[in-house]
Amino acid sequence: MERFRRFIQFISAFVANSRLWITPSNPIYTGPIKQICFPGLNCYSCPAAISSCPLGALQNVLASLKMNLQLGKPGLGLYILGSLGMMGAVVGRAPCAWFCPFGLFQDILYKLVPVPKLPFWRPLAWGRYVFLFLFVIILPVFVLDAAGFGQTWFCKFICPAGTLEAGLPLLAIDSGLRSAVGALFFSKLALLMLFIMWSMVNHRPFCRAVCPLGLIFGLFNRVSWLQLRFNRDVCVECHACEIICPTGVSFADGRDDINSTKCIRCMRCFNLCPGGAITVEFSKTRRRSRGEGCTCHQEQG
Amino acid sequence: MKDRLPLYIFLLFLIIFLLGVLLGEPRDVFQKGVTICLSCIGIN
């Protein structure tokens, strides 16, 4: 299944960035598919991107919220929230593992760069809440300019995916933009370098410590149609699931729920577990175990 | 009730999504998406 997931990740990254004819006079795609929010962090200012980033779109809506309300215009982000919520209700945070191009980028760095791997400091996971509530919601809504518009704080000051997928390619194809590069861009470039180096020693550090989109999907993990279940009674306590988990979910020792907001539903634990203690459930009554058909009503530990 | 919670949540967000579509929000997403916001990616 791991090879299949990798295949889907590459296909997804290609589909999201399938505009191949790029010219300086027409640097980004302007066709109708840009109305669709891609379920992953994929900057819509990327020259190859054909869809929109839900996080960027959400920030733009929130930054214009006060002005839209004053003018009586619709623009509450219902379309974006609905898109994210429908995806989350079905598969929870699975898009992070299966679709997100920036997740794939981190996976490749971690796997291919032969440097010693380090443990991830777990409290950093709380950073996701800070970035979601402060940089995506509070600052864009409440810090406004004289005209009453906010800024896309996360995109502007944090997002390394935007620097990688949009900032650097746009500077490469449009020499006129290079004179506009200043301290802000270099600080974002430094952040990107930090995450690149961090990804070599920790698996998916951006997803684990920063990504607000991953947190939004992760909040659905416990109530989504797709559920993982852990049966402690058949666990052989080999802790292979914790070692293999790219986001460090520690459910075997009880520190985390198996459907915690950290879980990206990559299914590596499900595939690896020698005792079959991890099952995948698509509803409350029918459950699929690895290597067998559906079983019914097994009580979980 | 608990068995059908994912379905209810999906339907709730489907309604929210359709409301957004009816209010023309995809057009707003499109308008932002087809404009390069240089300041949004740290170039200004």
Side-chain angles (χ1 to χ4, degrees):
Chain A
M1 188 184 277
E2 185 65 8
R3 282 186 181 174
F4 177 65
R5 184 175 72 89
R6 195 70 76 210
F7 173 72
I8 296 291
Q9 279 183 297
F10 276 107
I11 292 290
S12 178
F14 178 73
V15 168
N17 298 288
S18 53
R19 179 176 177 257
L20 302 176
W21 187 251
I22 299 161
T23 59
S25 60
N26 189 17
I28 63 168
Y29 171 75
T30 55
I33 307 172
K34 265 285 169 70
Q35 295 178 74
I36 298 170
C37 291
F38 179 77
L41 208 63
N42 196 66
C43 187
Y44 51 41
S45 291
C46 172
I50 61 165
S51 56
S52 287
C53 172
L55 206 59
L58 184 62
Q59 286 171 86
N60 272 309
V61 166
L62 293 174
S64 310
L65 189 63
K66 186 182 176 188
M67 191 54 69
N68 284 338
L69 289 174
Q70 283 178 350
L71 297 173
K73 282 175 60 181
L76 301 171
L78 300 177
Y79 169 70
I80 304 158
L81 286 176
S83 305
L84 296 175
M86 284 193 293
M87 179 64 78
V90 177
V91 293
R93 205 181 162 180
C96 300
W98 295 78
F99 304 138
C100 181
F102 200 65
L104 172 63
F105 179 65
Q106 292 172 88
D107 281 347
I108 291 169
L109 286 172
Y110 184 78
K111 189 167 185 178
L112 294 188
V113 181
V115 294
K117 310 303 179 188
L118 300 174
F120 182 83
W121 193 46
R122 288 171 57 88
L124 287 176
W126 291 102
R128 296 172 301 151
Y129 291 88
V130 174
F131 287 107
L132 174 61
F133 291 105
L134 189 63
F135 282 82
V136 175
I137 299 173
I138 295 172
L139 291 173
V141 171
F142 294 107
V143 180
L144 307 176
D145 62 15
F149 289 102
Q151 296 189 62
T152 54
W153 285 75
F154 185 80
C155 296
K156 185 171 182 177
F157 296 102
I158 308 292
C159 188
T163 310
L164 179 71
E165 296 167 2
L168 291 173
L170 285 172
L171 290 176
I173 62 173
D174 189 347
S175 56
L177 283 179
R178 290 170 205 162
S179 60
V181 168
L184 178 58
F185 184 77
F186 285 112
S187 69
K188 285 197 71 183
L189 199 57
L191 257 181
L192 172 63
M193 295 307 296
L194 171 77
F195 279 109
I196 286 174
M197 289 187 287
W198 195 0
S199 298
M200 294 173 190
V201 295
N202 273 166
H203 208 162
R204 288 193 176 231
F206 180 80
C207 307
R208 295 163 82 172
V210 178
C211 188
L213 184 61
L215 177 59
I216 292 172
F217 283 132
L219 291 171
F220 288 91
N221 270 358
R222 291 189 192 197
V223 292
S224 65
W225 182 58
L226 175 67
Q227 290 285 302
L228 294 177
R229 297 288 173 205
F230 172 55
N231 188 344
R232 195 176 298 280
D233 294 338
V234 295
C235 176
V236 296
E237 297 186 11
C238 64
H239 296 277
C241 51
E242 291 176 14
I243 296 165
I244 201 80
C245 181
T247 53
V249 183
S250 301
F251 53 87
D253 62 8
R255 283 199 291 180
D256 293 313
D257 187 282
I258 192 168
N259 291 298
S260 116
T261 59
K262 298 174 189 171
C263 175
I264 58 173
R265 271 86 193 275
C266 65
M267 306 297 171
R268 294 175 85 181
C269 56
F270 168 71
N271 286 320
L272 189 75
C273 182
I278 298 157
T279 49
V280 175
E281 180 185 284
F282 295 98
S283 74
K284 290 292 174 189
T285 53
R286 292 179 69 79
R287 184 168 301 156
R288 186 168 293 279
S289 301
R290 183 166 48 83
E292 41 182 273
C294 290
T295 56
C296 299
H297 294 293
Q298 277 181 303
E299 201 53 52
Q300 300 302 307
Chain B
M1 172 67 186
K2 197 178 176 185
D3 293 356
R4 295 191 174 186
L5 187 60
L7 176 65
Y8 295 144
I9 292 171
F10 180 83
L11 291 176
L12 171 70
F13 280 98
L14 176 63
I15 291 166
I16 291 171
F17 173 81
L18 292 175
L19 269 176
V21 172
L22 288 173
L23 292 171
E25 290 185 2
R27 188 184 57 239
D28 298 339
V29 171
F30 176 77
Q31 283 173 350
K32 291 290 182 187
V34 297
T35 312
I36 301 176
C37 176
L38 291 175
S39 67
C40 299
I41 51 175
I43 303 172
N44 55 12

PDB file of all heavy atoms in Angstrom, chain A residues 215-231:
ATOM      1  N   LEU A 215      -4.317  20.713  10.312  1.00  0.00           N
ATOM      2  CA  LEU A 215      -5.078  20.740  11.568  1.00  0.00           C
ATOM      3  C   LEU A 215      -6.573  20.774  11.271  1.00  0.00           C
ATOM      4  O   LEU A 215      -7.355  20.086  11.939  1.00  0.00           O
ATOM      5  CB  LEU A 215      -4.658  21.950  12.408  1.00  0.00           C
ATOM      6  CG  LEU A 215      -5.444  22.108  13.715  1.00  0.00           C
ATOM      7  CD1 LEU A 215      -5.307  20.877  14.607  1.00  0.00           C
ATOM      8  CD2 LEU A 215      -4.993  23.349  14.472  1.00  0.00           C
ATOM      9  N   ILE A 216      -6.980  21.580  10.270  1.00  0.00           N
ATOM     10  CA  ILE A 216      -8.410  21.641   9.924  1.00  0.00           C
ATOM     11  C   ILE A 216      -8.910  20.244   9.547  1.00  0.00           C
ATOM     12  O   ILE A 216      -9.931  19.777  10.061  1.00  0.00           O
ATOM     13  CB  ILE A 216      -8.646  22.646   8.771  1.00  0.00           C
ATOM     14  CG1 ILE A 216      -8.367  24.070   9.244  1.00  0.00           C
ATOM     15  CG2 ILE A 216     -10.092  22.539   8.258  1.00  0.00           C
ATOM     16  CD1 ILE A 216      -8.379  25.113   8.132  1.00  0.00           C
ATOM     17  N   PHE A 217      -8.189  19.561   8.676  1.00  0.00           N
ATOM     18  CA  PHE A 217      -8.591  18.197   8.314  1.00  0.00           C
ATOM     19  C   PHE A 217      -8.498  17.279   9.540  1.00  0.00           C
ATOM     20  O   PHE A 217      -9.352  16.420   9.745  1.00  0.00           O
ATOM     21  CB  PHE A 217      -7.695  17.650   7.201  1.00  0.00           C
ATOM     22  CG  PHE A 217      -8.002  18.187   5.824  1.00  0.00           C
ATOM     23  CD1 PHE A 217      -6.990  18.650   5.005  1.00  0.00           C
ATOM     24  CD2 PHE A 217      -9.299  18.215   5.351  1.00  0.00           C
ATOM     25  CE1 PHE A 217      -7.262  19.133   3.727  1.00  0.00           C
ATOM     26  CE2 PHE A 217      -9.590  18.702   4.076  1.00  0.00           C
ATOM     27  CZ  PHE A 217      -8.563  19.154   3.274  1.00  0.00           C
ATOM     28  N   GLY A 218      -7.462  17.469  10.355  1.00  0.00           N
ATOM     29  CA  GLY A 218      -7.243  16.600  11.513  1.00  0.00           C
ATOM     30  C   GLY A 218      -8.356  16.696  12.546  1.00  0.00           C
ATOM     31  O   GLY A 218      -8.645  15.724  13.250  1.00  0.00           O
ATOM     32  N   LEU A 219      -8.999  17.867  12.638  1.00  0.00           N
ATOM     33  CA  LEU A 219     -10.095  18.020  13.591  1.00  0.00           C
ATOM     34  C   LEU A 219     -11.276  17.102  13.254  1.00  0.00           C
ATOM     35  O   LEU A 219     -12.128  16.858  14.096  1.00  0.00           O
ATOM     36  CB  LEU A 219     -10.557  19.492  13.626  1.00  0.00           C
ATOM     37  CG  LEU A 219      -9.545  20.470  14.238  1.00  0.00           C
ATOM     38  CD1 LEU A 219      -9.997  21.910  14.037  1.00  0.00           C
ATOM     39  CD2 LEU A 219      -9.319  20.191  15.717  1.00  0.00           C
ATOM     40  N   PHE A 220     -11.313  16.613  12.020  1.00  0.00           N
ATOM     41  CA  PHE A 220     -12.379  15.695  11.609  1.00  0.00           C
ATOM     42  C   PHE A 220     -12.014  14.232  11.862  1.00  0.00           C
ATOM     43  O   PHE A 220     -12.852  13.349  11.672  1.00  0.00           O
ATOM     44  CB  PHE A 220     -12.684  15.874  10.116  1.00  0.00           C
ATOM     45  CG  PHE A 220     -13.391  17.160   9.786  1.00  0.00           C
ATOM     46  CD1 PHE A 220     -12.662  18.291   9.453  1.00  0.00           C
ATOM     47  CD2 PHE A 220     -14.776  17.250   9.822  1.00  0.00           C
ATOM     48  CE1 PHE A 220     -13.303  19.482   9.157  1.00  0.00           C
ATOM     49  CE2 PHE A 220     -15.419  18.433   9.527  1.00  0.00           C
ATOM     50  CZ  PHE A 220     -14.685  19.561   9.186  1.00  0.00           C
ATOM     51  N   ASN A 221     -10.778  13.957  12.256  1.00  0.00           N
ATOM     52  CA  ASN A 221     -10.318  12.562  12.341  1.00  0.00           C
ATOM     53  C   ASN A 221     -11.205  11.680  13.221  1.00  0.00           C
ATOM     54  O   ASN A 221     -11.473  10.539  12.895  1.00  0.00           O
ATOM     55  CB  ASN A 221      -8.879  12.507  12.862  1.00  0.00           C
ATOM     56  CG  ASN A 221      -7.849  12.570  11.741  1.00  0.00           C
ATOM     57  OD1 ASN A 221      -8.209  12.627  10.569  1.00  0.00           O
ATOM     58  ND2 ASN A 221      -6.578  12.577  12.095  1.00  0.00           N
ATOM     59  N   ARG A 222     -11.672  12.230  14.332  1.00  0.00           N
ATOM     60  CA  ARG A 222     -12.441  11.393  15.262  1.00  0.00           C
ATOM     61  C   ARG A 222     -13.893  11.202  14.835  1.00  0.00           C
ATOM     62  O   ARG A 222     -14.588  10.355  15.396  1.00  0.00           O
ATOM     63  CB  ARG A 222     -12.403  12.007  16.664  1.00  0.00           C
ATOM     64  CG  ARG A 222     -11.032  11.926  17.274  1.00  0.00           C
ATOM     65  CD  ARG A 222     -11.030  12.319  18.720  1.00  0.00           C
ATOM     66  NE  ARG A 222      -9.657  12.506  19.174  1.00  0.00           N
ATOM     67  CZ  ARG A 222      -9.287  12.539  20.425  1.00  0.00           C
ATOM     68  NH1 ARG A 222     -10.183  12.403  21.375  1.00  0.00           N
ATOM     69  NH2 ARG A 222      -8.027  12.719  20.754  1.00  0.00           N
ATOM     70  N   VAL A 223     -14.351  12.014  13.897  1.00  0.00           N
ATOM     71  CA  VAL A 223     -15.759  11.911  13.507  1.00  0.00           C
ATOM     72  C   VAL A 223     -15.917  11.580  12.027  1.00  0.00           C
ATOM     73  O   VAL A 223     -17.031  11.592  11.509  1.00  0.00           O
ATOM     74  CB  VAL A 223     -16.512  13.224  13.829  1.00  0.00           C
ATOM     75  CG1 VAL A 223     -16.626  13.440  15.326  1.00  0.00           C
ATOM     76  CG2 VAL A 223     -15.843  14.423  13.166  1.00  0.00           C
ATOM     77  N   SER A 224     -14.808  11.317  11.333  1.00  0.00           N
ATOM     78  CA  SER A 224     -14.907  11.054   9.893  1.00  0.00           C
ATOM     79  C   SER A 224     -15.440   9.647   9.636  1.00  0.00           C
ATOM     80  O   SER A 224     -15.426   8.775  10.510  1.00  0.00           O
ATOM     81  CB  SER A 224     -13.540  11.228   9.227  1.00  0.00           C
ATOM     82  OG  SER A 224     -12.642  10.259   9.706  1.00  0.00           O
ATOM     83  N   TRP A 225     -15.887   9.444   8.415  1.00  0.00           N
ATOM     84  CA  TRP A 225     -16.382   8.128   8.003  1.00  0.00           C
ATOM     85  C   TRP A 225     -15.256   7.102   8.096  1.00  0.00           C
ATOM     86  O   TRP A 225     -15.437   5.989   8.570  1.00  0.00           O
ATOM     87  CB  TRP A 225     -16.908   8.252   6.567  1.00  0.00           C
ATOM     88  CG  TRP A 225     -17.490   7.010   6.004  1.00  0.00           C
ATOM     89  CD1 TRP A 225     -18.544   6.288   6.514  1.00  0.00           C
ATOM     90  CD2 TRP A 225     -17.076   6.337   4.813  1.00  0.00           C
ATOM     91  NE1 TRP A 225     -18.805   5.208   5.698  1.00  0.00           N
ATOM     92  CE2 TRP A 225     -17.937   5.214   4.652  1.00  0.00           C
ATOM     93  CE3 TRP A 225     -16.083   6.570   3.868  1.00  0.00           C
ATOM     94  CZ2 TRP A 225     -17.799   4.337   3.579  1.00  0.00           C
ATOM     95  CZ3 TRP A 225     -15.972   5.698   2.808  1.00  0.00           C
ATOM     96  CH2 TRP A 225     -16.816   4.594   2.669  1.00  0.00           C
ATOM     97  N   LEU A 226     -14.055   7.469   7.652  1.00  0.00           N
ATOM     98  CA  LEU A 226     -12.889   6.594   7.762  1.00  0.00           C
ATOM     99  C   LEU A 226     -12.319   6.672   9.175  1.00  0.00           C
ATOM    100  O   LEU A 226     -12.000   7.750   9.656  1.00  0.00           O
ATOM    101  CB  LEU A 226     -11.819   7.027   6.753  1.00  0.00           C
ATOM    102  CG  LEU A 226     -10.480   6.294   6.803  1.00  0.00           C
ATOM    103  CD1 LEU A 226     -10.636   4.843   6.398  1.00  0.00           C
ATOM    104  CD2 LEU A 226      -9.465   6.983   5.913  1.00  0.00           C
ATOM    105  N   GLN A 227     -12.229   5.548   9.850  1.00  0.00           N
ATOM    106  CA  GLN A 227     -11.694   5.505  11.207  1.00  0.00           C
ATOM    107  C   GLN A 227     -10.638   4.406  11.318  1.00  0.00           C
ATOM    108  O   GLN A 227     -10.749   3.354  10.688  1.00  0.00           O
ATOM    109  CB  GLN A 227     -12.811   5.193  12.214  1.00  0.00           C
ATOM    110  CG  GLN A 227     -13.815   6.300  12.397  1.00  0.00           C
ATOM    111  CD  GLN A 227     -13.274   7.451  13.230  1.00  0.00           C
ATOM    112  OE1 GLN A 227     -12.858   7.281  14.372  1.00  0.00           O
ATOM    113  NE2 GLN A 227     -13.270   8.644  12.652  1.00  0.00           N
ATOM    114  N   LEU A 228      -9.622   4.663  12.122  1.00  0.00           N
ATOM    115  CA  LEU A 228      -8.675   3.612  12.488  1.00  0.00           C
ATOM    116  C   LEU A 228      -9.039   3.138  13.892  1.00  0.00           C
ATOM    117  O   LEU A 228      -9.460   3.939  14.721  1.00  0.00           O
ATOM    118  CB  LEU A 228      -7.243   4.141  12.477  1.00  0.00           C
ATOM    119  CG  LEU A 228      -6.664   4.567  11.131  1.00  0.00           C
ATOM    120  CD1 LEU A 228      -5.271   5.125  11.296  1.00  0.00           C
ATOM    121  CD2 LEU A 228      -6.641   3.407  10.167  1.00  0.00           C
ATOM    122  N   ARG A 229      -8.880   1.848  14.137  1.00  0.00           N
ATOM    123  CA  ARG A 229      -9.160   1.296  15.467  1.00  0.00           C
ATOM    124  C   ARG A 229      -7.953   0.509  15.948  1.00  0.00           C
ATOM    125  O   ARG A 229      -7.279  -0.156  15.165  1.00  0.00           O
ATOM    126  CB  ARG A 229     -10.381   0.377  15.432  1.00  0.00           C
ATOM    127  CG  ARG A 229     -11.667   1.073  15.055  1.00  0.00           C
ATOM    128  CD  ARG A 229     -12.166   1.981  16.161  1.00  0.00           C
ATOM    129  NE  ARG A 229     -13.299   2.765  15.723  1.00  0.00           N
ATOM    130  CZ  ARG A 229     -13.645   3.943  16.243  1.00  0.00           C
ATOM    131  NH1 ARG A 229     -12.924   4.470  17.217  1.00  0.00           N
ATOM    132  NH2 ARG A 229     -14.679   4.584  15.790  1.00  0.00           N
ATOM    133  N   PHE A 230      -7.703   0.582  17.244  1.00  0.00           N
ATOM    134  CA  PHE A 230      -6.577  -0.131  17.844  1.00  0.00           C
ATOM    135  C   PHE A 230      -7.113  -1.110  18.875  1.00  0.00           C
ATOM    136  O   PHE A 230      -7.809  -0.699  19.813  1.00  0.00           O
ATOM    137  CB  PHE A 230      -5.622   0.878  18.491  1.00  0.00           C
ATOM    138  CG  PHE A 230      -4.526   0.246  19.292  1.00  0.00           C
ATOM    139  CD1 PHE A 230      -3.690  -0.695  18.719  1.00  0.00           C
ATOM    140  CD2 PHE A 230      -4.318   0.600  20.617  1.00  0.00           C
ATOM    141  CE1 PHE A 230      -2.679  -1.284  19.460  1.00  0.00           C
ATOM    142  CE2 PHE A 230      -3.304   0.023  21.360  1.00  0.00           C
ATOM    143  CZ  PHE A 230      -2.486  -0.919  20.776  1.00  0.00           C
ATOM    144  N   ASN A 231      -6.806  -2.381  18.697  1.00  0.00           N
ATOM    145  CA  ASN A 231      -7.248  -3.418  19.634  1.00  0.00           C
ATOM    146  C   ASN A 231      -6.070  -3.795  20.529  1.00  0.00           C
ATOM    147  O   ASN A 231      -5.189  -4.556  20.129  1.00  0.00           O
ATOM    148  CB  ASN A 231      -7.752  -4.640  18.852  1.00  0.00           C
ATOM    149  CG  ASN A 231      -8.407  -5.652  19.773  1.00  0.00           C
ATOM    150  OD1 ASN A 231      -8.240  -5.598  20.994  1.00  0.00           O
ATOM    151  ND2 ASN A 231      -9.167  -6.564  19.194  1.00  0.00           N
TER     152      ASN A 231
END
